[in-house]
Amino acid sequence: MKKIIFFLFLLTMCSIILAQNKITGIVIDAATKEPVIGANVVEAGTANGMITNLDGEFTLTLSNQKSGITISMIGYKTLEVFKPRPADTYKIEEDVQEIEGVVVTALHIPKQKKMLGYAVQEVKGDEIAVSRDVNPVSALVGKVAGMRVSIGTDLLSSPTIQVRGVSPIYVIDGVPVKDNTWSFSPDDIEAITVLKGPTAAALYGSGGKNGAIQITTKRGTVGVRNFSVDVKSTTQIQTSFIAIPGVQNSYGSGSNFKYSFGDGLKGNINGIYNQDSDVWGPRFEGQLIKQYNSPMDAEGIRTPTPWLSVGKDNLERFMQTGLVTTNNIAIAQKSESGDFRISVSDTYQKGILPNTKLNSFNTNFSGSMNLSERVKILGTINFNRTTSPNFPETYYNPRSPIYLLSIWTGAHINIDDLRNYWVPGMEGVQQYSYDYAQYNNPWFMMYENTREYAEDNINGQLALTWRITPELDLRIRTNMNTNKKSKNEKFPVNTSFYDDDYGTKKWVGGYDETYEQYTDWNSDFMLNYAHKFSPIFGVKAALGGA
């Protein structure tokens, strides 16, 4: 009887052993054919499973020859295999809906939106590039809930952004930088992610207490092609403002319904309210009044001319049609040893005010190289040069032509009469204007009172990633951002300008020059650990410093 029982025991054990099934396999991306690292391979209906290694490989012993397997990975569709072979290659496809649920959070760590305990919103690079604004952050207008984007009136001022009423910090590829959003081309941005609230950016230190705007630049790994060349060219026409303040055009310059021009030159100071900035002079009824363009006799006395509303659309006629053209070429390649992407962009903007323009040249390079199966080096560098031979004054100031023409210029003044802005015979000495007491000829300001601008910005990053084990990796990174800026302004002789907005008035010439330069260095390290204990339970941890 003992022998029979022992025989039955051995028979049962052999059956169990024969029933077990050991399989091996490789999980790859269906599009790129590259191995998928960290994919979960689990025996269907059990907790028996493992994750793929650096080469996408796995080995799993099934409890039953009839068992199937399930392969899952964030960003990919789940693959169910009912009859796995002893050795096979498994292709998994990207899940677009799942990818959209993954965002890059603090310190450049990707996470699923549903796992976050704070509000986050992402704007894709394609949406930013469509708008073709010279400053890419301007494209965020109306795209992020709780965000207010105020576009600066000055040509080169960065947009003022507030998220839930406070100003966030800017982060480029995981590194906090100064607020200089002109230095990147929209074509080089993969996405802009807005982290809202103090919890969102806690890992950035005190600077991130109000949230963060993260700019992620493109890499050579974007797309499924091994080699690609992308060429883009766009042109935009800009026609003045959406709306212009409405003003009355029934009365001309002056006060108390009285006005008579006296320029103050050659002792002629017999004007009536001609040094008054109000626009409540006589009503336009064709009556004869001495004006700035009235003819003078041999003794220099002006002959009165009809008082008519000839300049009610001065601002519209002064402005011109603007133009923005952008050309970009990007070359990218991807291989087993690494990838790279180089992009060159050139933007030209013709302003809506005469004699204004802006040029922006940008080149961006990013690349990575696999030094070994476990060690990878990544590097990026971005160079931007922005220049303008003349950009307009736009503040509350008598040197701003928009300010003058929209508020303080009476309709009896015809802007076309002022195009020849020098007094005949006094070129380079005396400007020709409708007001010699306070305000300048707008054409004179645009062509003689020029404001020049030049800025160079370099942002570079170098990172080393070492996968110590399939569950543990170390990243070391350093970033450098340098900025050099110069401005100058020329005040020709006979320019009316002030020490401040309305301080001590000056009529002499002048020259102003300003330089700024700074360099920021940021370095950090991060140790990441991830382990999947079962299909529904795992742990992710990070330890680092900056």
Side-chain angles (χ1 to χ4, degrees), residues 18 36 40 82 99 134 140 143 153 178 180-181 191 197 222 226 235 256 288 305 313 372 383 385-386 410:
L18 290 174
V36 177
N40 294 301
F82 297 101
I99 291 175
V134 180
L140 295 178
K143 289 185 170 63
T153 56
K178 287 186 179 294
N180 178 28
T181 56
V222 176
N226 291 329
T235 300
N256 299 322
L288 298 180
T305 51
D313 55 351
S372 69
F383 170 77
R385 179 168 178 78
T386 302

Side-chain angles (χ1 to χ4, degrees), residues 28 60 63 108 115 118 151 175 191 267 326 340-341 373 377 521:
I28 64 173
L60 184 65
S63 60
H108 221 53
M115 294 176 63
Y118 49 83
I151 307 300
V175 179
T326 302
F340 80 90
R341 180 182 183 272
E373 291 184 356
I377 188 170
W521 284 93

Side-chain angles (χ1 to χ4, degrees), residues 376-398:
K376 184 176 184 179
I377 188 170
L378 304 93
T380 65
I381 187 167
N382 185 87
F383 170 77
N384 175 269
R385 179 168 178 78
T386 302
T387 59
S388 175
N390 185 34
F391 65 103
E393 175 74 79
T394 57
Y395 298 105
Y396 188 88
N397 190 295

Side-chain angles (χ1 to χ4, degrees), residues 460-475:
Q461 183 178 132
L462 189 65
L464 181 71
T465 301
W466 175 27
R467 183 169 288 275
I468 303 172
T469 71
E471 299 173 334
L472 183 67
D473 67 78
L474 173 68
R475 184 193 65 201

